[in-house]
Amino acid sequence: MCIRDRDMARLNRYKVNRKLVKPASLTALEQCLGDFFSADTQIERDVLPDENPELDKGQLIDRRMLHEVLGEDLSGLAEYLQMYETLTLPLLDECEQALAKGDLETVKATAHKLVGSTRALGGVELAKMIKKLELGAAAGSPGLEEKMRSIQSTMPTFLTEIRALTANS
């Protein structure tokens, strides 16, 4: 299995020098985690940090993330955006419909898919909003409709910013 340099660097930061290959058995996972973390270990969340110092207030696109995914010249951005709009945006509608029906499992599953693809397109702030919806659905928390409205109202601005970048790349 090949692991990307940035992923290995992230693992090394936590003194992790081995990896599990999916699908891993529950026993293998427990054993691996037990080797690295004791009960009093505090684990820093790296997936969706609370603050991104490289983003200006109100800015939705993390260019650093875009460059990590697409390279320095962002040459594939227009194609990636087209795929996002074609394949990923319908998930937002599916998520909204599931929420209206009270189907929290579908909300959780579709939100999970949206988080990764939105983050890969540089939408770290929007991905955090979607992640909160996912976690709220998993916990059955109240206020999911408001989270969905916030996501829906932010999405057009996010897409506008990405489209502006495609015009410049």
Side-chain angles (χ1 to χ4, degrees), residues 7-78:
D7 294 331
M8 199 63 210
R10 196 175 282 155
L11 290 172
N12 287 332
R13 184 171 42 192
Y14 296 109
K15 308 289 189 255
V16 176
N17 58 7
R18 63 181 172 156
K19 57 192 176 276
L20 290 173
V21 177
K22 290 182 184 179
S25 70
L26 183 57
T27 304
L29 180 61
E30 288 173 345
Q31 185 178 38
C32 182
L33 292 174
D35 290 347
F36 296 111
F37 305 111
S38 63
D40 61 347
T41 302
Q42 185 175 4
I43 302 170
E44 175 187 339
R45 290 200 51 109
D46 190 40
V47 177
L48 294 173
D50 289 334
E51 290 184 22
N52 186 341
E54 296 182 27
L55 288 181
D56 296 329
K57 282 275 191 220
Q59 184 182 359
L60 291 175
I61 308 300
D62 182 344
R63 290 177 185 236
R64 179 186 49 85
M65 177 64 68
L66 272 175
H67 290 295
E68 282 184 27
V69 174
L70 297 171
E72 286 304 313
D73 64 354
L74 299 179
S75 59
L77 183 58

Side-chain angles (χ1 to χ4, degrees), residues 118-166:
T118 301
R119 188 167 190 265
L121 197 53
V124 176
E125 295 302 313
L126 182 57
K128 282 195 275 188
M129 295 167 69
I130 299 168
K131 185 67 173 181
K132 289 177 183 177
L133 178 69
E134 176 192 353
L135 296 174
S141 301
L144 297 177
E145 292 82 5
E146 180 58 36
K147 287 177 177 43
M148 178 60 79
R149 281 191 293 275
S150 294
I151 293 164
Q152 290 170 321
S153 67
T154 304
M155 185 63 77
T157 306
F158 168 69
L159 293 172
T160 299
E161 287 186 23
I162 288 290
R163 287 183 190 115
L165 286 175
T166 62

